[in-house]
Amino acid sequence: MRVLIVEDDMEIQQLVSYFFKKENYEVQTAGDGLEGLKAVKSFKPDLIVLDIMLPSLDGKNFTSIVRDMSAEYGDPVIIMLTAKTEIEDVLEGLQLGADDYMKKPFDPRELVLRARKFLEGKNVGKSGRYSFKQVVVDEKRRIVKDGEEEVELSKKEFDLLLLLIKNQGIVLSREKILDRVWESNYYTGDRSVDIYISKLREKVKSIAENIKTVKGVGYKLEEKR
């Protein structure tokens, strides 16, 4: 697996690089946005760890270009790093196509763990079966089992649960969920996602408490701490 780290802070760049190399990832680095774009073309990374505040081309514009020109840049996972705490910056990054974010300062071991889940999610499930705790989702047969019990879900409920399980541990914005499950754009006041999350919590009881609300952003499926 190939990881591209686009970060102008050399200390952070070297630290993140060290931890990914320690886990046997192939790593390349770039110190600014334009250099990073060139590296995406030549290196073809599976994952990009991307700082939002970069020289020459910031992380948001970088993400927008990569997502708008997928034929040229591929479809890498993008995890943004940000020193900013304003929710608007996080939302904008997710809306532009970032898959996840981490606020500085962060533990690089957590970053590697999140990245691994994303990358494994792109390669596992070839049989069409995904699982979380005792819940198993069979994508091809469209069957959900909670332990030994089969759970009846509507098409939207099934697709929403599948999206959460495929991206377990990852924050999914309401916009992204609507785009992937409803194939429609988000607009202020649309509560469809919230309603269907409530339905999932009622029907798939064993993981109800694992479907976490991320205030002001969306939802994620994660193990209880």
Side-chain angles (χ1 to χ4, degrees):
M1 289 288 182
R2 296 180 174 185
V3 178
L4 172 64
I5 301 163
V6 188
E7 168 64 68
D8 63 325
D9 185 317
M10 291 300 107
E11 185 176 342
I12 294 175
Q13 183 190 106
Q14 290 170 10
L15 181 66
V16 172
S17 179
Y18 168 80
F19 276 91
F20 274 106
K21 286 179 179 178
K22 187 178 177 183
E23 297 298 321
N24 297 315
Y25 288 93
E26 187 177 348
V27 178
Q28 187 166 318
T29 60
D32 64 63
L34 290 178
E35 181 187 349
L37 276 182
K38 292 177 183 177
V40 176
K41 283 186 179 180
S42 59
F43 186 56
K44 301 187 185 332
D46 301 288
L47 167 74
I48 300 172
V49 178
L50 177 69
D51 187 25
I52 285 185
M53 302 302 292
L54 288 167
S56 74
L57 182 72
D58 67 31
K60 292 184 227 179
N61 285 312
F62 179 105
T63 299
S64 181
I65 291 170
V66 170
R67 292 305 187 222
D68 289 344
M69 302 177 68
S70 57
E72 191 170 353
Y73 293 102
D75 186 30
V77 172
I78 297 177
I79 299 179
M80 281 186 159
L81 304 179
T82 175
K84 296 186 176 182
T85 57
E86 290 81 8
I87 196 66
E88 288 77 12
D89 294 290
V90 173
L91 283 170
E92 188 174 353
L94 294 171
Q95 288 166 354
L96 287 169
D99 296 284
D100 199 8
Y101 69 95
M102 291 193 72
K103 294 177 182 177
K104 298 177 183 177
F106 59 91
D107 187 330
R109 293 170 297 181
E110 182 183 354
L111 173 60
V112 172
L113 181 61
R114 288 198 196 187
R116 182 184 299 127
K117 286 186 176 182
F118 261 117
L119 294 172
E120 286 176 351
K122 295 184 77 172
N123 292 283
V124 302
K126 292 181 181 179
S127 65
R129 291 169 62 86
Y130 298 84
S131 63
F132 180 82
K133 297 179 70 176
Q134 69 177 38
V135 174
V136 177
V137 178
D138 189 322
E139 184 175 17
K140 294 180 180 178
R141 299 168 63 205
R142 296 190 71 81
I143 292 173
V144 175
K145 283 194 172 183
D146 191 349
E148 296 300 316
E149 180 183 353
E150 188 170 325
V151 182
E152 290 189 12
L153 298 178
S154 69
K155 180 182 184 302
K156 287 288 192 295
E157 291 165 353
F158 180 93
D159 292 343
L160 176 56
L161 177 61
L162 181 63
L163 181 66
L164 288 168
I165 286 184
K166 281 184 174 181
N167 294 278
Q168 53 192 272
I170 307 304
V171 178
L172 296 171
S173 68
R174 289 180 176 84
E175 293 90 335
K176 181 170 287 188
I177 293 172
L178 281 167
D179 180 60
R180 299 282 181 86
V181 177
W182 276 262
E183 297 183 350
S184 64
N185 295 324
Y186 174 82
Y187 62 90
T188 303
D190 191 331
R191 309 307 295 173
S192 299
V193 174
D194 304 322
I195 292 167
Y196 274 79
I197 287 288
S198 295
K199 290 181 178 181
L200 278 185
R201 285 170 172 157
E202 291 174 6
K203 292 186 176 183
V204 193
K205 294 181 174 60
S206 73
I207 62 170
E209 293 184 2
N210 298 98
I211 303 175
K212 303 292 187 181
T213 301
V214 181
K215 190 174 180 181
V217 181
Y219 297 93
K220 68 175 174 176
L221 183 67
E222 67 173 6
E223 292 281 358
K224 289 197 296 182
R225 295 181 178 177

